[in-house]
Amino acid sequence: MNDTVHVILDDTAMVAAGRGNFKASVLIHHAHTDPDWFVYGPTCALVEADRTRPGTAEHIASLPGVVLMSLDLPAALAVAQHDTWAGAHAHHAAQPTPDRPSGAFVATTEPDRWKGVRVIDLTP
């Protein structure tokens, strides 16, 4: 049985983490201490989070448990087909890949905006 957990932070989750959201902190703590937990921060979501709450990008980037995801060509092509870069990059990152065959959860404080992906609701 594969117990590996992959979680994508959307822009709202990043802002929540910067504001001390307990649920976001638990996810990040697991990624830092448990080798079977991975938390990712798509760069487009990081930019949007920093626009919403300045300083968020530096905070998230400094966390040792968060892996920042660059905007590579497949992600850029996916983003180009959507209205918002942050949501598109997070949605793309949550899709199955060879490294994440079951895809990933999207952690968010706005679960209603997500369709077609598994969600972790960080609403307090």
Side-chain angles (χ1 to χ4, degrees):
M1 184 169 127
N2 187 353
D3 293 332
T4 303
V5 178
H6 298 277
V7 179
I8 308 297
L9 300 175
D10 77 354
D11 55 304
T12 69
M14 292 179 190
V15 170
R19 290 185 173 147
N21 179 287
F22 178 76
K23 294 176 185 178
S25 296
V26 168
L27 292 176
I28 294 166
H29 173 76
H30 277 299
H32 182 64
T33 61
D34 187 333
D36 292 326
W37 276 73
F38 298 89
V39 172
Y40 306 92
T43 54
C44 292
L46 190 68
V47 169
E48 188 61 32
D50 202 67
R51 287 179 179 164
T52 302
R53 185 173 188 263
T56 299
E58 290 85 0
H59 174 72
I60 296 298
S62 73
L63 298 172
V66 178
V67 177
L68 297 181
M69 303 178 89
S70 62
L71 186 64
D72 60 9
L73 179 58
L77 295 174
V79 165
Q81 298 177 24
H82 293 84
D83 293 332
T84 65
W85 287 37
H89 197 184
H91 188 272
H92 172 76
Q95 300 308 304
T97 66
D99 293 339
R100 298 181 300 278
S102 296
F105 293 90
V106 173
T108 183
T109 62
E110 296 179 7
D112 293 339
R113 84 180 203 190
W114 292 99
K115 306 291 182 238
V117 295
R118 299 174 296 163
V119 171
I120 297 175
D121 185 354
L122 300 181
T123 306

